[in-house]
Amino acid sequence: MFRPILLLLLSLLMTSANAEELQINVLQPGDGAEAVPGAEVTVHYTGWLMDGTKFDSSRDRDEPFSLTLGAGRVIPGWERGLEGMRVGEVRELIIPPELGYGARGAGGVIPPNATLRFEVELLDVNAPPFSELDNRGLAEMIAQGVKVVDIRRPEEWHQTGVVEGSHLLTAFDRYGRVVPGFPAEFQGLVARDEPVVLICRTGSRTATLARALAEQLQYQNVYNVTDGITRWIAEGQVVNREIPDEAGRG
């Protein structure tokens, strides 16, 4: 059965000019665990076009839907709209096309430039198997000598600079595929019981990687810099712009 909300349209053309805002209306408050980036969340949802046409519903199937928040597996309106929910909460999300399926629509069910309305109930939250760090936490880790691994691509390092002393090791190529040599190089750099901090541009790639390292490779002390180097720079922290030509390996 077709499930539009599961589609990740990598070719979606999103324009920021004149973009409408995501609207979030709390229909029922919740008092359980909070949905945070990196957590696995389980929801029931129903989606409508603004003319009232229902195009998808997990309730109709009696089949809750689970996703890892922040992993980029759903439309941006969902990523933003679910964050901060608590178990038991019900939200109405009014998602403009720029944060939905844009000018292309989806699967012949969602027309181009459609504004979408969802009613979402948060059923469960499983905390991420890693820890989150803000800039203060990152500074403390650096002071303690904990390894910081910047997993971005070389052109990104050159564009922004990197946290002083960080190890530069590209995890994903520009298409989001894991670089073949990354797992072995990472394991050669960081022991499984050793604390390690991961940083990228905004924290989304590192949240995905932190979960994989914890769940698949049994790393025990992985930390993700929640807002990535973007916030680090915005707050006036020092970066190193002298990137070695051989950067990318440990």
Side-chain angles (χ1 to χ4, degrees), residues 95-106:
I95 300 177
E98 294 81 8
L99 299 177
Y101 296 96
R104 299 188 61 174

Side-chain angles (χ1 to χ4, degrees), residues 135 229-239:
N135 280 347
I229 199 165
T230 300
R231 179 65 64 84
W232 182 260
I233 294 171
E235 293 185 359
Q237 302 290 345
V238 176
V239 294

